[in-house]
Amino acid sequence: MVDETLARSFEGIGSEYERYRPGFPAGAVELLAPDRVGTILDLGAGTGKFTELLIGRADRVVAVEPSTAMLDVLHAKLPEVTALSGTAERIPLEDGAADAVSVAQAFHWFDREPACAEITRVLAPGGAMALIWNRADPACAWDRSCHRIVHPAVGASDDTTRAAAEELPGFRFFRHEELTWREVISRDDYIGRWTTVSSFLVADEPRRAEMLADVHRVLDEHVDTAGRAELDLPHLTDVYLYRRA
């Protein structure tokens, strides 16, 4: 079951999400759409972190997002994209409208059965779907320590991607790729990033202050981050690819 409180915690943030959250590697788009297609739907698009990579891969890019705050940022940033208010369970597109569908950092929030039914409805026969997640590199000890502080649900082993089951209703799984990349991020922005995760957003003020103090302590004490204004942060990105059955 999706935790509705956590799922809805993002609805009030837009500019913060855009500023602090990481992007995605271009290789993820190449896996979904190696050749140009007619229409790509980015579902649960947020502020367009993944959507922006789709421009140039399709004649038409459509972004669907339930948060008005995030959709406003996406619309201002990417005016060439058709930005629509909607959810995975109620997609405001006609049958077979999309040649490919991307879901970046969002599928675990969906109600799986109705979402899969809606995606198959709007996806053209034989069309591809990519489920994409960024996750921490387990080799980066200081980042994992911060995960355990602020986002303990994925602190020990990030199993968010378990939502990408090999058997999804209406789809045939055909490929999984793990992409590695690095990001140079300021210490301030790294700390700000933690203020945009669901577990922080739903916490009370004393707990939030405690979380941030503990993150500062990790960065102050770890040999790879102590005294540094910029941090070298590794990422892993999982891409799960499906075809409409």
Side-chain angles (χ1 to χ4, degrees), residues 19-156:
R19 174 178 174 179
Y20 295 125
R21 284 296 184 101
F24 296 88
V29 181
E30 294 167 6
L31 290 168
L32 172 63
D35 300 308
R36 189 180 180 92
V37 298
T39 298
I40 297 181
L41 164 64
D42 192 25
L43 188 56
T47 62
K49 291 284 187 176
F50 193 76
T51 318
E52 60 191 353
L53 299 179
L54 299 172
I55 297 170
R57 293 282 178 170
D59 299 332
R60 181 189 186 208
V61 177
V62 179
V64 170
E65 166 59 39
S67 165
T68 300
M70 291 196 182
L71 204 60
D72 286 347
V73 173
L74 188 153
H75 184 72
K77 181 176 72 170
L78 305 172
E80 64 270 61
V81 169
T82 302
L84 303 174
S85 177
T87 67
E89 297 78 19
R90 298 188 68 178
I91 302 171
L93 289 178
E94 62 273 17
D95 295 359
D99 299 292
V101 174
S102 58
V103 183
Q105 219 72 24
F107 189 75
H108 55 290
W109 297 120
F110 296 172
D111 190 348
R112 194 180 81 159
E113 300 293 328
C116 284
E118 270 291 85
I119 296 169
T120 57
R121 180 185 66 78
V122 303
L123 188 57
M129 175 176 72
L131 306 183
I132 303 136
W133 284 275
N134 287 330
R135 57 185 173 90
D137 187 334
C140 184
W142 57 270
D143 188 42
R144 297 303 297 173
S145 293
C146 293
H147 270 82
R148 285 191 290 271
I149 292 164
V150 187
H151 212 5
V154 297

Side-chain angles (χ1 to χ4, degrees), residues 5-11 13 16-17 20-22 70 105 108-109 134 143 146-154 189-203 208 211-212 215:
T5 300
L6 291 175
R8 296 176 66 89
S9 65
F10 301 103
E11 290 184 355
I13 62 172
E16 301 93 336
Y17 195 99
Y20 295 125
R21 284 296 184 101
M70 291 196 182
Q105 219 72 24
H108 55 290
W109 297 120
N134 287 330
D143 188 42
C146 293
H147 270 82
R148 285 191 290 271
I149 292 164
V150 187
H151 212 5
V154 297
D189 282 359
Y190 178 78
I191 292 168
R193 179 170 295 175
W194 289 114
T195 69
T196 69
V197 303
S198 57
S199 50
F200 183 90
L201 292 169
V202 302
R208 290 182 179 185
M211 289 177 178
L212 293 181
V215 169

